[in-house]
Amino acid sequence: MSRLAIGRSPSVGYYPAPPMPAPFTAELVARETIAPGIAELSFAMREPARLDFKAGQFVSMAVDAPAAGADPVPRRSYSIASQSDAGDVLRFIVRVIPDGKASEYLMSISLGSLVRMTGPHGFFLLDPSHPGDVVFGATGTGIAAVMPMLGELGRRRESGQETRRCLLLWGMRQEADLFSRQEIDRLVARAGAELHIFLTAPGPHWTDGRGRITPALLERLAEMVAPTFYLVGNGAMITELKRELISRGINRKTQIRTEAFFD
Ligand SMILES: Cc1cc2nc3c(=O)[nH]c(=O)nc-3n(C[C@H](O)[C@H](O)[C@H](O)COP(=O)(O)OP(=O)(O)OC[C@H]3O[C@@H](n4cnc5c(N)ncnc54)[C@H](O)[C@@H]3O)c2cc1C
């Protein structure tokens, strides 16, 4: 039975609603440190064999062995960095937080471990179409959610569906933090997007943006045409940017989509 349903967006009419979340099990098949303090983990779907999800959605993972006692097993959410047509292996890009419960669990389990998850969750999804420019503002591992969205935009662009300008502002601390550059560059090129990286602590040879993405995005507002914003990552960035965009006349409901990873 298909898990797709029909939903209604107040701004854009009818569109296929995201698949319904359900429990599933996946096996850790690869884990690699891709930048200091950042790991990429791949989980092969086991039961069922693939997950139907939309670009931008996340899963909830049980980040402990099944509890012997009554305590519920702690859970954490992770955006799916895989392309949405590759639901047999789920990739995640995880900031390893010192002493973090999930971070310790995900970095200590051995390859071959089965992890219980539920998903796909969330409504941080690309609108079915855009009246104007598409603008992504991502900090840190927030780019994980943007990667499949860029892939989806690339596919739409190739079929002539999306022709407007697409802008991606990615905020990080320093050069060494940047990961998955080749893959991101490829996705950006296919989507016909412009990528600007902003570092808050760049080295002397850094030639792209400096500082936080909030002022950089606001400075570019005047040149944008009917933009739709997708903001993901640091919750404080999202709160501030949302407030500033609204105060400049951007419509909160129809033009801003957000996913906060933490406060
Ligand atoms: C919808 C959703 C999607 C998410 N997707 C991702 C993802 O793709 N990749 C990812 O790394 N995290 C993601 N997170 C955050 C993730 O769920 C955990 O909070 C994070 O991994 C820390 O868990 P922990 O148990 O190791 O540490 P905890 O002890 O629970 O957290 C310690 C502190 O770390 C900070 N923190 C949490 N996440 C981050 C982060 N990503 N970058 C910097 N500081 C952080 C917060 O201040 C938090 O209070 C997502 C969260 C949500 C709600």
Side-chain angles (χ1 to χ4, degrees), residues 221-263:
L221 193 55
E223 71 197 36
M224 296 174 190
V225 179
T228 304
F229 295 92
Y230 295 87
L231 310 176
V232 53
N234 182 327
M237 173 278 288
I238 291 173
T239 303
E240 185 187 5
L241 203 35
K242 211 166 141 181
R243 186 183 61 233
E244 295 299 326
L245 288 171
I246 292 166
S247 76
R248 287 163 172 78
I250 298 296
N251 186 299
R252 180 175 63 84
K253 274 196 172 164
T254 59
Q255 289 183 275
I256 307 178
R257 318 270 173 257
T258 63
E259 189 80 283
F261 282 8
F262 59 98
D263 292 338

Side-chain angles (χ1 to χ4, degrees), residues 3 18-22 24 51-54 57-59 80 118-122:
R3 292 164 65 213
M20 295 294 288
F24 63 91
L51 183 73
D52 286 332
F53 68 96
K54 296 270 185 198
Q57 288 195 291
F58 65 92
V59 304
I80 307 169
T118 63
H121 297 281

Side-chain angles (χ1 to χ4, degrees), residues 5-232:
I6 301 297
R8 176 157 168 71
S9 153
S11 56
V12 289
Y14 288 95
Y15 66 100
M20 295 294 288
F24 63 91
T25 307
E27 177 184 341
L28 180 64
V29 291
R31 178 176 50 216
E32 188 190 351
T33 298
I34 54 175
I38 299 198
E40 178 174 322
L41 292 89
S42 299
F43 286 87
M45 289 291 293
R46 286 293 173 251
E47 190 57 49
R50 62 177 293 119
L51 183 73
D52 286 332
F53 68 96
K54 296 270 185 198
Q57 288 195 291
F58 65 92
V59 304
S60 169
M61 290 188 199
V63 293
D64 208 345
D71 285 350
V73 175
R75 309 192 70 89
R76 295 288 185 279
S77 302
Y78 292 99
S79 294
I80 307 169
S82 320
Q83 295 300 310
S84 55
D85 56 1
D88 50 343
V89 177
L90 305 181
R91 290 167 54 212
F92 303 98
I93 296 174
V94 175
R95 162 98 49 200
V96 181
I97 308 288
D99 298 326
K101 177 91 189 159
S103 302
E104 282 185 353
Y105 174 76
L106 291 172
M107 295 309 284
S108 66
I109 55 173
S110 45
L111 295 186
S113 298
L114 294 176
V115 176
R116 290 160 308 133
M117 309 187 189
T118 63
H121 297 281
F123 296 92
F124 183 66
L125 309 172
L126 276 181
D127 288 354
S129 62
H130 297 94
D133 299 342
V134 179
V135 183
F136 295 101
T139 56
T141 52
I143 195 81
V146 175
M147 288 160 68
M149 290 177 147
L150 285 171
E152 172 66 28
L153 276 181
R155 286 188 286 278
R156 290 188 194 176
R157 190 180 170 85
E158 283 164 7
S159 63
Q161 276 176 273
E162 294 269 3
T163 53
R164 302 294 314 197
R165 185 179 183 211
C166 175
L167 194 60
L168 164 57
L169 276 64
W170 184 20
M172 274 290 202
R173 208 176 115 68
Q174 54 195 5
E175 283 96 325
D177 296 339
L178 299 170
F179 53 82
S180 307
R181 282 307 308 277
Q182 285 186 354
E183 181 179 4
I184 292 168
D185 285 348
R186 224 176 23 249
L187 290 166
V188 160
R190 193 173 168 200
E194 297 162 40
L195 167 64
H196 298 285
I197 298 176
F198 289 81
L199 300 181
T200 50
H205 304 299
W206 179 250
T207 54
D208 205 349
R210 289 166 182 266
R212 295 181 308 120
I213 64 169
T214 300
L217 195 147
L218 295 173
E219 275 165 25
R220 288 167 168 77
L221 193 55
E223 71 197 36
M224 296 174 190
V225 179
T228 304
F229 295 92
Y230 295 87
L231 310 176
V232 53

